Amino acid sequence: MLLHPVVDGLSRKARPLALALVALLTLAIGCAEGGGSSSTSAAATRAEGTVAILLTDAPADPSLFSEINLSVVRMELVGADGAREVLHDGEGQPIDLLDLRTHSLPFGLHRTVPAGHYCRIRLEVERIELVLTTGERIDAERPGNSGRIEVVPQGCIEIEDGELAYLQLDIDAGRSIHIVEAPPGSERFLFRPVIHADLVSAAFAEKVVRVEGTLADVDADEDEILVCDAVPVVGTTELPAYRGCVTARIDAESAFFDNVEDEGRPRALDDLFDETWIGETVTLVGRVDHALPAVPVVRVPPGHHPPTGQCRIWYRDRPPGLQPRPIRRCDLDPEDVPTGAILIDDEGRPFIDREGLLTVDAFVVQLGDALRLTGEVDGEPVAGFLPVLLDPDQSVVSVEPVDVELQPAPAGGNGTRILTTTGEPLRLEDVFVADPVTVDGVLVLDDPDFVRAALILVDVDRAGELLVTGEVGELLEDGFELDLESNPCRTGLPLAVTTDDETRTLTVTITEEGSETAVTPGVQLGDEVSVTGLCDPYGLLANIVLVIDDTRAEPIP
């Protein structure tokens, strides 16, 4: 599942280039199953939540890096009393941040987080591999000796019984990677993590999510499809390899594209509900419905587990005594398990789940393998094609702009969707030359080759944003002056930086053991800062102000 910050309409302020680990904490009292069976354990009756972790990014210059692979091996919430709740613990599967510039990726879903106060978020990064556009692979140096990263939100995060809350962590990959010359003539790549944390209310509903999985069921009566093998699930009752499902709701604005039999062309929405598609790969982009409660955790009471070596189909809405009998086969295909049921092993642990743990309102559904390319608009559309200059080192390589076909709507369906990264629809006339875009679709080999587009995501957040670094020379009533050799906003020197209620000021403290990121009230004279924002008639309107405080015995510049 996937995500990007909200643009207030098309906001005057671009959001930061950031990796967002968005955690959805949905608290529910009494997650017990079995119709209120008296055999429910005490652990099942405590207030517990579900944490869905989604990753997204809009990081460093793609002309320098072709991949930025981050491996997170552990993630924890740290309570006010020091108690730690592990959200992720295991092998660090590399995540290429450059793949996540316009969408989110499902990182995991933790189903048994107790209610309480959480004052820190702790990450452990095993490796940061940088792949340069030259093909060279370099391991960036982690912060401290352990790769531990501490994030301190502005005030503890209070989660109460029945509360729905969203925790958003933004790791600014573009500013987290520093290149220094040491010794002269050689380059070192340092990972100095820049992270800010927010507790937000409804932002989750505003953000685009990308889900990739297998089509497990279709329901024309409810206008829904079930996509499984989509979300890694962590909890007290789940198997390590358990991956959950997502329910996708289809409406009149959704678009369906057939990459299996029709070379990526759009089809009528009714065609999506053909049961012969079950088992095919599906990619969908949409918006998570955050208002729905968490799907309860299944806990099978003692005495109702299947015998050793056997399995059992279990329905969440039935008491234990009315469940189907155990079966000897455990190697069922997902489509052999009824929708709304799970398949449990002899310890009561689910490993096939046919109920959507999250629900997504689908903008685009692509059946079959989908191509995804990034680049920028290179000219005006001509005869139904939009020229896009591709970023280097992708699966499609071209030094010339590639034509992207804007497909018309078929009868009963929709054509190519053009959206912002927050899911807001755009007209073609709202797309401008040099706008950063991500294109989903299929490559058509022709003369010339072209891309048949299902979806074009326009990253309006990145358009026009600047990053400047310098020393604070004077404090002003509404900001500060930055000493620079040249002014990119052309308003004279020194550069006047304006801050307001939306500006985020962060201090990253680097220690021998790791790093800590915290919100700070402002800057001081002489601080070396990096500022991201947009030029205005007075100078630079700041979005993010960053101060690095390296406390190590031998700080690296």
Side-chain angles (χ1 to χ4, degrees):
M1 318 328 205
L2 319 84
L3 251 137
H4 221 65
V6 178
V7 186
D8 183 13
L10 295 180
S11 172
R12 65 187 179 89
K13 296 180 72 173
R15 302 289 290 177
L17 306 182
L19 160 70
L21 304 177
V22 178
L24 163 65
L25 294 90
T26 311
L27 293 208
I29 304 174
C31 296
E33 292 293 302
S37 169
S38 59
S39 61
T40 301
S41 67
T45 60
R46 69 176 181 177
E48 291 180 333
T50 295
V51 179
I53 305 165
L54 302 166
L55 311 185
T56 189
D57 185 30
D61 185 355
S63 66
L64 178 61
F65 302 106
S66 62
E67 296 178 27
I68 301 176
N69 297 315
L70 181 73
S71 297
V72 178
V73 295
R74 190 174 179 87
M75 183 183 304
E76 299 176 337
L77 292 176
V78 182
D81 57 357
R84 297 182 296 179
E85 185 67 26
V86 179
L87 301 181
H88 171 74
D89 186 15
E91 183 178 351
Q93 183 68 29
I95 300 165
D96 183 3
L97 304 185
L98 288 182
D99 273 348
L100 306 177
R101 282 173 285 186
T102 55
H103 64 274
S104 294
L105 178 75
F107 182 74
L109 186 141
H110 196 295
R111 309 199 60 204
T112 53
V113 177
H117 292 76
Y118 298 97
C119 301
R120 289 175 179 263
I121 303 97
R122 180 174 296 161
L123 307 176
E124 185 177 332
V125 175
E126 180 181 56
R127 187 183 185 193
I128 308 100
E129 182 193 45
L130 310 176
V131 182
L132 306 186
T133 53
T134 60
E136 184 180 3
R137 293 178 177 270
I138 298 171
D139 280 352
E141 298 179 22
R142 299 178 302 166
N145 301 320
S146 65
R148 188 180 69 194
I149 301 170
E150 298 267 351
V151 184
V152 182
Q154 193 167 15
C156 292
I157 301 162
E158 182 179 0
I159 306 299
E160 298 177 351
D161 294 347
E163 182 177 337
L164 175 66
Y166 306 97
L167 175 65
Q168 175 175 292
L169 303 183
D170 290 342
I171 302 179
D172 190 333
R175 270 176 296 195
S176 294
I177 299 169
H178 294 256
I179 306 173
V180 298
E181 291 189 7
S186 64
E187 292 179 328
R188 297 176 64 184
F189 292 79
L190 312 177
F191 184 67
R192 301 195 300 192
V194 178
I195 307 176
H196 36 102
D198 295 291
L199 185 65
V200 295
S201 54
F204 195 78
E206 301 297 332
K207 299 178 180 182
V208 169
V209 170
R210 182 185 301 273
V211 176
E212 298 176 356
T214 302
L215 185 63
D217 200 7
V218 296
D219 189 338
D221 294 333
E222 296 294 332
D223 291 324
E224 293 180 347
I225 63 174
L226 187 69
V227 179
C228 291
D229 198 30
V231 186
V233 178
V234 178
T236 57
T237 65
E238 280 78 16
L239 289 165
Y242 172 48
R243 295 177 65 88
C245 303
V246 173
T247 297
R249 294 192 295 223
I250 310 300
D251 60 25
E253 300 301 317
S254 303
F256 167 45
F257 297 85
D258 181 0
N259 300 350
V260 175
E261 297 181 352
D262 207 11
E263 296 184 318
R265 293 183 176 89
R267 297 183 59 164
L269 291 173
D270 288 345
D271 294 345
L272 175 58
F273 299 102
D274 186 341
E275 293 185 357
T276 61
W277 298 128
I278 291 176
E280 293 285 356
T281 299
V282 169
T283 299
L284 66 92
V285 174
R287 180 173 289 155
V288 169
D289 186 345
H290 72 292
L292 297 178
V295 175
V297 174
V298 170
R299 291 187 174 86
V300 180
H304 293 275
H305 292 183
T308 302
Q310 297 187 27
C311 290
R312 189 173 191 178
I313 292 176
W314 191 274
Y315 289 88
R316 284 185 168 90
D317 57 355
R318 296 185 189 179
L322 298 181
Q323 299 289 343
R325 294 180 178 276
I327 56 178
R328 296 184 182 276
R329 286 187 56 204
C330 293
D331 59 343
L332 299 183
D333 293 326
E335 55 265 31
D336 295 329
V337 179
T339 300
I342 62 174
L343 185 67
I344 60 173
D345 69 358
D346 51 21
E347 296 183 25
R349 300 176 300 181
F351 59 94
I352 296 179
D353 192 332
R354 296 271 290 176
E355 182 167 359
L357 301 177
L358 297 175
T359 297
V360 174
D361 293 316
F363 299 137
V364 170
V365 178
Q366 295 181 82
L367 193 71
D369 294 333
L371 178 71
R372 185 168 69 250
L373 299 169
T374 61
E376 64 178 37
V377 178
D378 194 65
E380 300 294 330
V382 177
F385 288 86
L386 182 69
V388 174
L389 184 63
L390 299 180
D391 292 333
D393 201 21
Q394 300 185 80
S395 56
V396 176
V397 178
S398 176
V399 296
E400 299 294 329
V402 172
D403 284 334
V404 174
E405 183 182 12
L406 306 171
Q407 302 191 77
N414 294 294
T416 301
R417 299 296 310 272
I418 304 176
L419 307 171
T420 70
T421 55
T422 64
E424 300 302 322
L426 290 175
R427 300 171 301 172
L428 187 56
E429 52 264 37
D430 295 325
V431 181
F432 302 102
V433 174
D435 275 351
V437 295
T438 296
V439 179
D440 279 53
V442 298
L443 178 65
V444 179
L445 300 179
D446 204 340
D447 188 19
D449 301 341
F450 66 93
V451 175
R452 185 170 283 146
L455 170 67
I456 299 175
L457 287 176
V458 183
D459 195 351
V460 295
D461 294 353
R462 292 171 57 198
E465 190 174 54
L466 293 177
L467 171 64
V468 296
T469 301
E471 181 177 312
V472 176
E474 184 175 343
L475 300 179
L476 306 175
E477 183 177 350
D478 57 352
F480 54 89
E481 290 183 346
L482 202 59
D483 290 334
L484 302 170
E485 293 184 1
S486 63
N487 184 347
C489 296
R490 301 180 181 178
T491 55
L493 291 174
L495 173 64
V497 177
T498 302
T499 59
D500 59 18
D501 292 340
E502 295 182 31
T503 302
R504 303 291 303 277
T505 302
L506 306 171
T507 295
V508 178
T509 303
I510 308 293
T511 68
E512 299 291 348
E513 294 301 319
S515 71
E516 178 178 295
T517 303
V519 177
T520 50
V523 300
Q524 298 179 3
L525 287 176
D527 279 347
E528 286 288 336
V529 300
S530 295
V531 183
T532 300
L534 296 174
C535 291
D536 66 11
Y538 308 101
L540 187 70
L541 178 59
N543 189 356
I544 299 291
V545 177
L546 172 70
V547 181
I548 298 289
D549 180 18
D550 195 335
T551 65
R552 289 175 292 185
E554 296 183 6
I556 300 176

